[in-house]
Amino acid sequence: QAHAIPLLLSGRDVVGIAPTGSGKTLAYLLPGLARLHGADKPDTSGSKPSPRFLVLGPTRELVTQIEAQAESFRRSFGLTTLAVYGGA
């Protein structure tokens, strides 16, 4: 987190490899949420709101874990979250 967050806040791309439970999800969610919070609100008059931050996960379980993390912080930023996944 200490290395990734400043790079992500500056707009750089980051590839992170770390053990489970080390805070990777939070390391990319917080800068993304902070950028959305500081950005101008899109004009949605007469239209449906659209996604502004997309996170892709490889499995249903990981997607629900990511969404739970995002949900715990989204209120502070005045945003909503939604997990979408497919499969049988």
Side-chain angles (χ1 to χ4, degrees):
Q1 289 177 344
H3 297 288
I5 289 176
L7 292 170
L8 291 166
L9 284 172
S10 72
R12 306 250 336 252
D13 292 335
V14 173
V15 174
I17 300 170
T20 300
S22 61
K24 294 180 298 293
T25 303
L26 195 57
Y28 65 78
L29 280 179
L30 283 182
L33 293 172
R35 289 190 119 202
L36 286 178
H37 183 69
D40 292 334
K41 301 284 187 227
D43 180 16
T44 57
S45 59
S47 66
K48 295 179 183 177
S50 61
R52 296 182 16 197
F53 183 20
L54 176 66
V55 178
L56 301 175
T59 65
R60 180 182 309 190
E61 292 78 17
L62 187 54
V63 168
T64 53
Q65 290 173 18
I66 293 167
E67 201 271 339
Q69 282 283 320
E71 182 65 23
S72 66
F73 289 95
R74 65 114 184 139
R75 287 182 195 90
S76 301
F77 295 97
L79 303 168
T80 57
T81 62
L82 174 67
V84 178
Y85 46 83

